Amino acid sequence: MKAAYYGGSRQIHIRECVPVAPAAGQVRVRVSHCGICGTDLHVYLGDLDHRIRLPEVIGHEGSGTIAELGPGVEGFSVGDPVVVMPIISCGQCPACKAGNYHVCHQLKVIGIEAPGAMQSSWTVPANLLFPLPRTMDLQQAALIEPVAVACHDIRMGELQKGEYALVLGGGPIGALIAIVAKHKGARVLVTEINPFRIAMLRRLGLEVVDPRQPGPNGTTWVDRVMEETGGAGADVVFEVTGVAAGAEMMTKAAKVRGRIVIVGVFAKPAPVDIYKIFARELRLFGARVYQREDFAEAIEIVASGAIPGHELITNVMPLDQLRHGLDQMATGGDVMKILIDCQS
Ligand SMILES: [Zn+2]
Ligand SMILES: [Zn+2]
């Protein structure tokens, strides 16, 4: 079998290795596909070196079939198609005890603090498996993890049918939030600056605005939100950029008592218009990864055909091209979701 190891800033090594036999309570998964995520890019660029023990197999958006069951694993059979919820919580800390295991004080993310999915054979705890419908395409199934992120963000923002959602940032996660929000009956406007992504999102039938470009008669993106909401503002704003420009924008077009959901990962503190939060009684939510119900919902949504994988998946590359894929993402190439074919 082959595995892709991260070996320090901008180093990926593809190595032949021996499959890890599943211990009690574990299964070995034959990985079909694994998506490259923004988190993988952060790992590749060395931003998460304080969390990762080198060398480590990266990747957490894997789909596959069960190849081997460890002792004591019930309810699954060899050959079952599955995805893995890639977070390991301690079960003992105050957050876990309160049911918030996805923000466990000792949270381990598989693909950072534990071996990830960028390998042809992946041994994982069986309690993280989710079975898939037999008919599901395993390329599409590699989108379930980021769709689960979108489901969690929408749930945290309490977005309702008929409400107006403003999504700041139309990369893979922003696009999925917009698609799922629209699927649930919300009205959606996405802001994005990358022309390749703008064109793709419009092809998918989404309303998109480049916040740097004035609209008709010099109107701004804020004017547009106000006009489309009868002067009220957006019910929910999703901040998915993780940069200062997004933090500045997020309070500008939210309605009175609107909700702002922080999805983007801010590497450093960014200025926020706190006065606006006071004056409009805005509510600010953080939303991190997902819980089991979000994963279950994501599987249903992908199975329903609501996620246009044929557009969103712009590249499928063999495992030994992983570094090339990461470089394309790092340089802002014309890509949306890149999948790695872990068997080729
Ligand atoms: Zn991810
Ligand atoms: Zn815990």
Side-chain angles (χ1 to χ4, degrees), residues 35-40 59-61 86 145-146 149 173 289-290 337:
I36 306 182
C37 172
T39 307
D40 299 315
H60 58 267
E61 300 184 0
E145 192 268 359
V149 171
I173 295 293
V289 288
Y290 25 65
K337 195 60 168 173

Side-chain angles (χ1 to χ4, degrees), residues 102-167:
H102 65 302
V103 282
C104 168
H105 295 188
Q106 271 96 42
L107 188 72
K108 283 188 187 159
V109 177
I110 295 185
I112 301 176
E113 285 106 349
M118 296 287 187
Q119 50 184 332
S120 47
S121 187
W122 184 30
T123 300
V124 292
N127 63 0
L128 302 179
L129 293 179
F130 283 77
L132 300 176
R134 293 233 160 235
T135 51
M136 193 184 281
D137 174 70
L138 290 176
Q139 277 197 23
Q140 298 276 326
L143 297 175
I144 288 169
E145 192 268 359
V147 172
V149 171
C151 291
H152 186 64
D153 301 334
I154 288 170
R155 192 158 65 83
M156 293 302 288
E158 298 169 11
L159 181 67
Q160 306 296 316
K161 192 175 174 176
E163 285 193 321
Y164 190 100
L166 174 66
V167 181

